[in-house]
Amino acid sequence: KPSAEYLDWIPLHNVTANVHSEITFTGINNDFDEYKFEFVNIHPQTDSAQLLWQANAAGATGFNENITSTAFRAYQQEDDSGGAVDYRAGEDQKNADAAYDIIMEGIDNANDMSGSGSLIIYAPASGTFMKHFVVESNTTLTAGTKHQIQAGYINTTTAIDQINFKMSSGAIDAGTITMFGLAK
């Protein structure tokens, strides 16, 4: 039986990728205090791709909001030859303008490779506060698994009304992305 918290999330829009160069969600407004984007079996067209995201402030274009974020990961190989928990300094953003933030990195395009996870943005329609977010994902390695967590904020007090997803190279070959709103 799903938890009560899970039942409060209302599905708003679902996109099934079929070689999409990018996917943009619109309609983010003050109807919900939180928005969640859930990624299921995201599969890239090219090897070693990163799933990326960026936001647009209301009335803006270009998906180039300043983001400050930090990242870490845990990974384990099937044969126990490697594994660790580490801070990912190279994936941090320091008020980076126009830079897309990483959701999943190092996803290969073999048929048994994919990633799943979620991005939650808190109070994106606020005209007073910056927009905090948390990303959590799991990807299949060539012979293992990797769990990644990123968190930070979009450095604008202007409402956010669009979120864009794309791969660092090639297209999103397959998978689904669903946008949910958390009931007030």
Side-chain angles (χ1 to χ4, degrees):
K1 179 179 174 186
S3 69
E5 178 183 321
Y6 180 78
L7 296 175
D8 291 340
W9 286 103
I10 298 168
L12 303 173
H13 189 67
N14 181 313
V15 175
T16 299
N18 184 10
V19 192
H20 283 69
S21 60
E22 60 184 54
I23 296 171
T24 300
F25 287 87
T26 60
I28 299 168
N29 56 42
N30 63 3
D31 289 347
F32 301 95
D33 289 331
E34 299 173 27
Y35 283 82
K36 176 170 67 170
F37 299 87
E38 212 168 75
F39 321 98
V40 178
N41 292 326
I42 295 297
H43 180 78
Q45 190 176 43
T46 60
D47 262 348
S48 299
Q50 298 172 324
L51 179 63
L52 308 170
W53 75 279
Q54 183 43 282
N56 257 346
T61 61
F63 294 101
N64 56 4
E65 302 305 320
N66 289 344
I67 292 178
T68 297
S69 65
T70 190
F72 68 93
R73 71 174 177 181
Y75 65 95
Q76 180 64 43
Q77 295 298 111
E78 286 176 359
D79 64 3
D80 206 21
S81 64
V85 175
D86 58 4
Y87 165 62
R88 306 291 290 167
E91 294 176 16
D92 285 356
Q93 291 204 55
K94 297 159 187 76
N95 207 30
D97 186 22
Y100 274 68
D101 206 38
I102 297 171
I103 294 172
M104 297 175 227
E105 55 99 14
I107 313 167
D108 286 339
N109 72 338
N111 286 336
D112 59 350
M113 303 291 165
S114 67
S116 297
S118 64
L119 160 67
I120 298 175
I121 300 177
Y122 302 94
S126 170
T128 305
F129 301 107
M130 290 182 263
K131 314 329 178 229
H132 294 268
F133 65 86
V134 174
V135 177
E136 190 166 359
S137 66
N138 193 77
T139 55
T140 307
L141 300 172
T142 302
T145 185
K146 176 175 41 183
H147 186 90
Q148 294 175 244
I149 296 177
Q150 289 95 321
Y153 59 91
I154 304 166
N155 193 7
T156 183
T157 56
T158 304
I160 296 297
D161 65 355
Q162 295 179 324
I163 302 290
N164 180 263
F165 301 96
K166 67 180 185 178
M167 288 292 179
S168 57
S169 64
I172 302 171
D173 191 48
T176 60
I177 302 176
T178 305
M179 180 172 77
F180 294 85
L182 184 62
K184 289 184 177 189

